[in-house]
Amino acid sequence: MKQDNREYTDKKLSYHLNDLNLISPLDSEIPLFEPKIKLGILASGNGSNFEYIIKSIQNKQLNAEISILIVNNPNCLAIKKAIKYKIPYVIINHRDCDSRVEHDMLVMKKLEELSVELVVMAGWMRIVGKEIINMYKNRLINIHPSILPSFKGIDAIQQAIDHRVTITGCTVHYVQKEVDSGSIIIQAAVPIKKQDTKDSLKKRIQKMEHIILPLAIATVAKDIRTNFKDKK
Ligand code: GRF
């Protein structure tokens, strides 16, 4: 009898260990809002988060449309995804600008021109200035691959490995002047396994990013719609 109990417990444990991902806050349903929110996505890299936003819209989990993808790097893979899914995109190369402010202004002009309501930094490798932050107060969010406030800044995954923490993860937060510092919207925990390399850990963190970013967008979009109604 004792033996049976132990086996049962072990099985239960191993089941839970395989699924050790924790998202918080986790409501049972993705927040619903209307009408559709207009998104502007800023990206500099592979665009996997961008792609998952598109998929969430396609499978009707997210009531949104992507008005524009803005990239600063003309060679980034996010552009290929925009072409594949027929999403309008524009390259605003910071190297063609004389200053960071000039680049920010061009980005902001494009967002305004298209009446973007919510701006999502999905792997945007640029620090945004106060002009954009003020213009999109509570409507500008970023995804970062750590459990903030730990491991801010660049190479957060390597920082977590170097510090020998056993749990890391990802965070979606509002953007404010100090890098990776605004209020937290949602986080997911990802355990670091003994045999993990930076790449294997990155893969598991990204899986969770792809889940929490659409959830965060829906959360903020619902807030935007609620505030708008309150003002009427
Ligand atoms: C993500 O890991 C995100 O946390 C960080 O940049 C990466 C972007 O990945 N800010 P992708 O371009 O969406 O694949």
Side-chain angles (χ1 to χ4, degrees), residues 125 127 142-146 148-157 159 173 179-181:
M125 303 305 285
I127 292 176
N142 179 49
I143 182 147
H144 182 76
S146 78
L148 290 172
S150 290
F151 313 132
K152 296 177 179 178
I154 53 163
D155 223 350
I157 298 176
Q159 289 186 50
H173 62 95
V179 173
D180 301 327
S181 294

Side-chain angles (χ1 to χ4, degrees), residues 17-18 165-166 190-197 200-201 204:
L17 284 173
N18 286 336
V165 295
T166 56
V190 176
I192 302 183
K193 297 177 182 173
K194 276 208 180 82
Q195 66 276 21
D196 261 333
T197 59
S200 63
L201 181 56
R204 292 208 312 290

Side-chain angles (χ1 to χ4, degrees), residues 4 25 27 41 47 52 119 126 131 137 139 167 179 211 228:
D4 283 348
D27 298 324
I41 312 291
Y52 272 84
V119 184
R126 304 266 312 157
E131 299 79 11
K137 193 169 186 304
R139 299 186 297 133
I167 297 176
V179 173
I211 297 170
F228 179 72

Side-chain angles (χ1 to χ4, degrees), residues 7-206:
E7 274 171 15
Y8 177 64
T9 310
D10 283 350
K11 255 191 225 155
K12 249 184 118 179
L13 252 181
S14 81
Y15 170 77
H16 286 298
L17 284 173
N18 286 336
D19 284 282
L20 255 187
N21 289 311
L22 176 68
I23 297 178
S24 182
L26 183 57
D27 298 324
S28 52
E29 280 172 6
I30 190 159
L32 297 176
F33 56 90
E34 276 198 58
K36 217 178 247 193
I37 196 101
K38 286 185 174 190
L39 303 178
I41 312 291
L42 309 184
S44 310
N46 290 333
S48 71
N49 280 288
F50 168 53
E51 186 167 24
Y52 272 84
I53 296 169
I54 298 170
K55 287 184 178 172
S56 307
I57 294 172
Q58 285 180 340
N59 67 25
K60 308 227 179 300
Q61 275 183 306
L62 191 57
N63 191 17
E65 70 179 46
I66 301 178
S67 304
I68 190 81
L69 166 76
I70 301 180
V71 301
N72 64 306
N73 167 10
N75 302 315
C76 74
L77 289 176
I79 295 176
K80 293 218 163 93
K81 289 174 179 136
I83 294 168
K84 175 173 169 194
Y85 292 99
K86 301 192 168 57
I87 306 285
Y89 73 93
V90 61
I91 302 167
I92 305 181
N93 190 342
H94 59 282
R95 292 197 173 86
D96 298 337
C97 296
D98 290 332
S99 64
R100 190 197 50 72
V101 175
E102 186 190 335
H103 186 252
D104 269 10
M105 287 303 172
L106 291 175
V107 171
M108 214 158 86
K109 201 172 147 218
K110 184 47 86 180
L111 295 169
E112 280 185 283
E113 197 179 294
L114 297 166
S115 309
V116 163
E117 297 172 281
L118 170 55
V119 184
V120 182
M121 290 168 42
W124 179 246
M125 303 305 285
R126 304 266 312 157
I127 292 176
V128 288
K130 61 175 188 317
E131 299 79 11
I132 297 190
I133 293 173
N134 292 340
M135 171 67 77
Y136 287 93
K137 193 169 186 304
N138 297 324
R139 299 186 297 133
L140 172 62
I141 65 175
N142 179 49
I143 182 147
H144 182 76
S146 78
I147 302 277
L148 290 172
S150 290
F151 313 132
K152 296 177 179 178
I154 53 163
D155 223 350
I157 298 176
Q158 189 60 51
Q159 289 186 50
I161 292 171
D162 292 346
H163 278 81
R164 295 170 184 265
V165 295
T166 56
I167 297 176
T168 186
C170 44
T171 302
V172 184
H173 62 95
Y174 290 101
V175 176
Q176 69 175 35
K177 209 169 105 244
E178 294 76 28
V179 173
D180 301 327
S181 294
S183 322
I184 289 166
I185 301 160
I186 186 164
Q187 296 184 300
V190 176
I192 302 183
K193 297 177 182 173
K194 276 208 180 82
Q195 66 276 21
D196 261 333
T197 59
K198 190 175 158 187
D199 276 354
S200 63
L201 181 56
K202 182 177 170 184
K203 268 193 194 131
R204 292 208 312 290
I205 291 176
Q206 285 221 311

